[in-house]
């Protein structure tokens, strides 16, 4: 069974590691759904109904950590 996930091209990773803003944005877009999923929190309204809320502060923190990891990544 083949994976349906697309792999980032090596050229994009190389550019991102070297600080290219467009490549970093492309990586952020690639991981956007995962970051949103990690940022979700289940809350309850006044009637006890559950709903999903995306914590924007958590999302921004995860994106910042991803950018930091990209810029510190060493290709050898």
């Amino acid at each position: 069974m083949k994976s349906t996930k697309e792999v980032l091209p090596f050229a994009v990773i190389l550019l991102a590691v070297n600080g290219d803003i467009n490549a970093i944005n492309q990586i952020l877009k690639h991981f956007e759904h995962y970051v949103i999923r990690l940022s979700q929190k289940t809350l309850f309204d006044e009637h006890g109904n559950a709903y999903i809320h995306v914590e924007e502060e958590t999302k921004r923190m995860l994106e910042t950590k991803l950018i930091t990891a990209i810029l510190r990544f060493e290709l050898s």
Side-chain angles (χ1 to χ4, degrees), residues 31-42 52-63:
F31 287 104
E32 181 180 32
H33 295 292
Y34 183 59
V35 169
I36 289 172
R37 179 72 177 115
L38 292 174
S39 305
Q40 290 178 346
K41 185 175 183 180
T42 302
I52 303 295
H53 171 73
V54 176
E55 299 260 338
E56 289 298 321
E57 185 176 329
T58 303
K59 183 178 177 223
R60 297 292 170 236
M61 180 193 66
L62 290 170
E63 289 172 339

Side-chain angles (χ1 to χ4, degrees), residues 1 21 25 29 44 46 51 53 64 69-70 73:
M1 180 183 218
I21 300 297
N25 286 332
K29 182 70 176 163
F44 298 91
E46 62 275 0
Y51 66 96
H53 171 73
T64 301
I70 291 167
F73 190 77

Side-chain angles (χ1 to χ4, degrees), residues 7-8 12 19 25 42 47 55:
V7 178
L8 285 167
V12 172
N25 286 332
T42 302
H47 303 290
E55 299 260 338

Side-chain angles (χ1 to χ4, degrees), residues 6-37:
E6 288 189 33
V7 178
L8 285 167
F10 180 75
V12 172
I13 296 169
L14 183 60
L15 287 169
V17 167
N18 289 318
D20 184 87
I21 300 297
N22 292 327
I24 292 172
N25 286 332
Q26 195 170 349
I27 292 174
L28 287 173
K29 182 70 176 163
H30 180 81
F31 287 104
E32 181 180 32
H33 295 292
Y34 183 59
V35 169
I36 289 172
R37 179 72 177 115

